[in-house]
Amino acid sequence: MEYHDSDRARELAADVREFVDEVVIPVEREWLGDGPVPDDVIDDLREEARDRDLYAPQIPEEHDGLGLEFRDVLPAFEEAGRSLLGPLALRVDAPDEGNMHTLEMAGTEAQKDRWLDPLVEAEIHSGFSMTEPMQGGGSDPKMIETTARKDGDEWVIDGHKWWTTQGSEADVLLVMARTDPDAHPYQGCSIFLVPSDADGVEFERDIPHVGGAFRGASHAEIVYDGVRVPEENLLGAENAGFAIAQKRLGPARLTHCMRFSGMAQRSLEVAKAYMNEREGFGSKLSEKQSLRYDVAEAETRLHAARTMVRHAAREITSGNEARVPVSMAKVFTANVVQDAVDLSIQCCGGNGIGKDLPLADFYENVRAFRIVDGADEVHKRVIARDAFEDVDESELDPVTRFRG
Ligand SMILES: Cc1cc2nc3c(=O)[nH]c(=O)nc-3n(C[C@H](O)[C@H](O)[C@H](O)COP(=O)(O)OP(=O)(O)OC[C@H]3O[C@@H](n4cnc5c(N)ncnc54)[C@H](O)[C@@H]3O)c2cc1C
């Protein structure tokens, strides 16, 4: 399919595809059914990605990345997503990819030296700690209860978070907390860079979950009990937490879409290969009209999703916030990818469930995408508000673009 991506974007994507096919997928196949894949295996893949000049394409050159524009990295993210190991190899894996973007966008030079550069090199890892248990903020982040209060030249953080991806492995946690209890939360929260070994950072548990068997990160429940960080660990301006989060989440939602649409492409490739081989009832499965129509439908919807993601990415690259296009792309892609993986499993019969093929691990991983970075219903709420024109621009905060 021709998407009129730039020459640079297409060249990089072709090189990433070759790398994934030649190097990443053979390693993936070795570990299927036998995960989790150990760190040294990932380190070797990263080394090979560096040698091929494919490493960290989204990171500016001054921080040792390839320095591509957002829309130009898109096809490479898709190609990387064809294996669960691809994003890790290229250092475009969540949540570090989104956290690196946040640091690059909002961090001071000292913060970038301390955390961004080692993150790019994969010497350290990070977590984004925003969602809270039942009484706190989840889909409705206005309910956030974690607080940070100033005490001399330190901030003192108290709160309870869960589902912090990679929380247990992280060296630094980006923690969202209320800093002005009198303000609306969208104008009264800030993000802090909290070293995971700081006094008062208490790891309660890794939440058991589906999808972690092959190469799953932890999803940690963490209590912040009087955690003290110096003033210079405030990320961006005081009370600008949601403005920064919004700038992080728009692109991060699209990079998730890109990686997952690569997963859907590979799923359909695997299914079609099986269907071209397997015969029953007098013909190949690939000749059965009902299956052919199902695959045709999945290919059509995937093409639509990839087009929507490119549109939203172009808007963001042009400096637009693109909230509605991002929400449309996110909710549509999440469902298209989930359906494509499910169909691919169906077409492969028992082998779809077995771990000789990557489909079962894809299936375990894809379900969360309809929930993370905004559940389907939350994005539909954004789209519906726009559709019914019940957003009065004058009511929106000029910085956060949230309604007060
Ligand atoms: C694998 C995984 C990784 C995650 N990683 C992180 C992370 O790194 N950092 C972090 O801070 N959080 C993370 N999360 C948390 C994630 O962001 C939240 O789960 C998500 O925002 C939904 O919040 P909640 O779970 O509290 O659901 P709730 O807010 O309790 O909502 C439950 C369900 O209600 C429905 N719903 C909600 N609002 C509406 C509405 N207005 N109208 C209709 N229906 C509605 C939706 O279907 C939603 O799924 C992760 C979650 C998962 C599963």
Side-chain angles (χ1 to χ4, degrees):
M1 199 61 77
E2 175 55 71
Y3 286 104
H4 305 288
D5 297 316
S6 71
D7 290 345
R8 180 75 181 95
R10 274 188 289 191
E11 281 163 22
L12 179 69
D15 290 344
V16 172
R17 188 177 189 88
E18 196 175 280
F19 170 60
V20 170
D21 283 342
E22 287 178 2
V23 180
V24 178
I25 288 178
V27 173
E28 171 210 271
R29 293 193 66 82
E30 256 176 57
W31 286 93
L32 280 174
D34 200 20
V37 182
D39 287 346
D40 57 331
V41 174
I42 308 293
D43 287 343
D44 289 346
L45 291 175
R46 288 186 176 134
E47 210 44 59
E48 180 71 25
R50 275 194 196 89
D51 289 348
R52 291 178 180 231
D53 216 10
L54 305 175
Y55 190 79
Q58 80 285 18
I59 299 291
E61 284 171 314
E62 65 266 30
H63 295 288
D64 282 343
L66 301 184
L68 267 73
E69 273 196 335
F70 184 60
R71 65 180 162 192
D72 287 341
V73 292
L74 183 153
F77 275 54
E78 286 184 338
E79 294 297 344
R82 288 176 60 248
S83 167
L84 290 173
L85 300 182
L88 290 154
L90 258 66
R91 202 59 178 137
V92 299
D93 51 307
D96 283 337
E97 178 260 318
N99 292 336
M100 290 190 285
H101 175 64
T102 310
L103 270 162
E104 181 210 322
M105 185 179 63
T108 61
E109 286 313 310
Q111 290 169 345
K112 290 178 191 178
D113 285 347
R114 181 166 174 195
W115 286 295
L116 177 58
D117 292 337
L119 271 170
V120 174
E121 294 308 318
E123 289 162 3
I124 64 167
H125 296 282
S126 60
F128 192 78
S129 213
M130 180 154 139
T131 306
E132 301 179 352
M134 298 314 269
Q135 304 310 318
S139 293
D140 183 358
K142 293 194 298 298
M143 293 165 65
I144 215 158
E145 289 196 330
T146 299
T147 58
R149 70 181 163 76
K150 199 79 174 283
D151 182 23
D153 54 4
E154 289 183 321
W155 287 94
V156 185
I157 303 170
D158 285 285
H160 189 175
K161 304 282 188 181
W162 69 0
W163 288 106
T164 300
T165 299
Q166 211 170 246
S168 306
E169 303 92 307
D171 300 275
V172 60
L173 295 152
L174 282 68
V175 181
M176 178 77 85
R178 293 199 68 154
T179 35
D180 182 351
D182 299 327
H184 186 282
Y186 291 149
Q187 285 100 39
C189 285
S190 309
I191 299 176
F192 295 91
L193 292 155
V194 177
S196 57
D197 60 0
D199 285 345
V201 178
E202 294 167 5
F203 291 92
E204 297 287 299
R205 61 174 180 146
D206 289 337
I207 302 173
H209 63 282
V210 68
F214 183 61
R215 178 64 195 180
S218 67
H219 299 292
E221 181 167 353
I222 307 172
V223 170
Y224 298 90
D225 182 10
V227 177
R228 288 180 171 269
V229 292
E231 228 168 4
E232 60 264 25
N233 285 29
L234 173 68
L235 181 65
E238 188 175 331
N239 297 324
F242 274 98
I244 295 168
Q246 188 54 32
K247 284 193 183 141
R248 174 192 192 274
L249 282 171
R253 284 172 177 139
L254 294 182
T255 56
H256 258 327
C257 288
M258 298 165 199
R259 288 181 289 256
F260 274 110
S261 82
M263 176 191 283
Q265 288 174 55
R266 171 105 180 279
S267 299
L268 292 169
E269 288 164 22
V270 168
K272 286 181 284 185
Y274 184 85
M275 292 161 74
N276 279 328
E277 285 281 319
R278 184 67 161 158
E279 291 190 19
F281 303 99
S283 64
K284 291 192 168 157
L285 292 180
S286 58
E287 291 163 16
K288 312 286 182 200
Q289 194 175 52
S290 65
L291 292 185
R292 290 173 70 86
Y293 282 7
D294 284 346
V295 171
E297 172 84 17
E299 298 273 8
T300 305
R301 295 178 72 222
L302 183 55
H303 170 53
R306 295 175 71 192
T307 305
M308 287 168 77
V309 172
R310 280 167 165 78
H311 167 257
R314 259 201 307 277
E315 289 288 301
I316 285 186
T317 305
S318 309
N320 300 322
E321 187 197 27
R323 272 200 102 186
V324 173
V326 167
S327 282
M328 287 176 167
K330 199 283 181 177
V331 68
F332 188 69
T333 306
N335 284 272
V336 164
V337 172
Q338 181 182 288
D339 293 349
V341 173
D342 186 61
L343 171 67
S344 301
I345 288 177
Q346 191 70 17
C347 291
C348 292
N351 291 290
I353 297 295
K355 296 227 170 172
D356 291 342
L357 296 177
L359 302 177
D361 281 314
F362 286 173
Y363 191 67
E364 288 180 4
N365 273 267
V366 75
R367 184 60 183 87
F369 191 34
R370 290 186 50 215
I371 296 169
V372 294
D373 285 354
D376 284 1
E377 294 80 1
V378 172
H379 288 291
K380 285 181 187 170
R381 192 170 163 268
V382 172
I383 299 163
R385 260 183 9 197
D386 183 67
F388 284 97
E389 297 180 343
D390 56 2
V391 178
D392 178 350
E393 286 289 315
S394 66
E395 288 177 26
L396 298 182
D397 181 271
V399 180
T400 64
R401 312 295 297 154
F402 286 109
R403 193 173 0 210

